[in-house]
Amino acid sequence: MKDLKSVDVGTPHAQFLATEHWSLLATRSMTWQEIFSRTGTYLTVLSASVVALSLVANATRFGSGFTTFALLVLPVVLLVGFGTYFRLIEADIEDTWLIIGMNRLRHAYVELAPELEPYFIASHHDDPPGIWTTYSFRRRIGVTHWLSGSPVVIGVTNSVVTGVLAAVACAAAGTGDTLRTLVGSATAILTAVVLGFLGLRKVHEVSRSYQPRFPSTEAQPSAD
């Protein structure tokens, strides 16, 4: 493969790289639009279900009609919620690959014109520190950033809805308030753990086989 350092900046190589860069930017924009759209759709469905449940509860005074309606509606809400959660995980993975692609293109820009490197805010390395630098302009992301992410918010919401569904099922079975509360809380916690495990496993499966082509100097192994 021809070394880009020996290629003139005015050649079509730079145009090809720029075209690919714009293509990745457009794809990333579509990915983020899907994330917002799916999150908004799920929250809308959840809000509408809560309003419907409140109206039925007011009409039936939390009787058997309310329990039956909740057992019919909440599974549908969870179907949309779980689908949204796993799609958000996939979208975040796709977004990471797009960042990797843009970092590699930026590395090619630096090879073509090394004097431009000080003007880049985003990274031109495709290793984890370079990915995080482009993603959030930091090499490390704190806990608050992860907790505010869409998959975590949707996952916690799904866990709460699952706990409520379990409590309603216990109420339909005629259990007491204490047992109902314990079952609902345990189901919510277990759902959160399972969703978190499945999400992390999916991310680890993708990242396990990844090898950066242009690691940063700090990430390169020492010669001794």
Side-chain angles (χ1 to χ4, degrees):
M1 184 175 64
K2 190 174 183 180
D3 189 358
L4 289 180
K5 294 180 180 179
S6 60
V7 176
D8 185 18
V9 179
T11 62
H13 292 75
Q15 298 178 12
F16 297 154
L17 293 172
T19 301
E20 176 66 10
H21 202 151
W22 280 109
S23 175
L24 295 181
L25 283 172
T27 305
R28 193 182 183 203
S29 176
M30 293 175 59
T31 301
W32 276 96
Q33 288 178 7
E34 182 184 5
I35 290 175
F36 295 144
S37 176
R38 282 183 171 266
T39 302
T41 300
Y42 171 54
L43 294 179
T44 300
V45 171
L46 179 60
S47 300
S49 300
V50 171
V51 173
L53 287 171
S54 65
L55 293 175
V56 173
N58 185 55
T60 62
R61 299 184 182 276
F62 291 96
S64 59
F66 169 78
T67 303
T68 302
F69 184 75
L71 291 176
L72 291 174
V73 171
L74 291 180
V76 178
V77 175
L78 283 176
L79 177 63
V80 178
F82 288 144
T84 301
Y85 174 77
F86 290 114
R87 178 54 194 147
L88 291 180
I89 296 294
E90 294 286 346
D92 279 352
I93 294 174
E94 294 170 6
D95 187 56
T96 302
W97 278 110
L98 294 172
I99 290 176
I100 291 173
M102 288 188 288
N103 282 11
R104 290 180 177 178
L105 292 175
R106 206 172 288 110
H107 192 277
Y109 298 153
V110 173
E111 288 187 1
L112 287 172
E115 66 276 8
L116 296 179
E117 181 177 5
Y119 302 98
F120 287 135
I121 297 179
S123 176
H124 56 277
H125 301 289
D126 60 350
D127 55 353
I131 295 172
W132 296 130
T133 299
T134 299
Y135 186 76
S136 65
F137 303 104
R138 292 170 290 180
R139 287 185 174 270
R140 289 183 176 86
I141 295 180
V143 178
T144 55
H145 184 93
W146 290 110
L147 292 178
S148 62
S150 297
V152 175
V153 173
I154 296 301
V156 171
T157 304
N158 287 335
S159 301
V160 174
V161 175
T162 306
V164 172
L165 178 60
V168 172
C170 289
T175 60
D177 294 340
T178 302
L179 180 59
R180 188 186 316 160
T181 302
L182 291 175
V183 171
S185 301
T187 303
I189 295 174
L190 179 62
T191 303
V193 172
V194 172
L195 289 179
F197 170 76
L198 293 177
L200 289 175
R201 187 179 69 172
K202 183 63 177 180
V203 173
H204 289 160
E205 287 177 355
V206 175
S207 61
R208 188 181 300 117
S209 59
Y210 173 70
Q211 294 294 331
R213 293 187 177 183
F214 308 106
S216 57
T217 304
E218 297 86 347
Q220 291 179 349
S222 59
D224 50 2

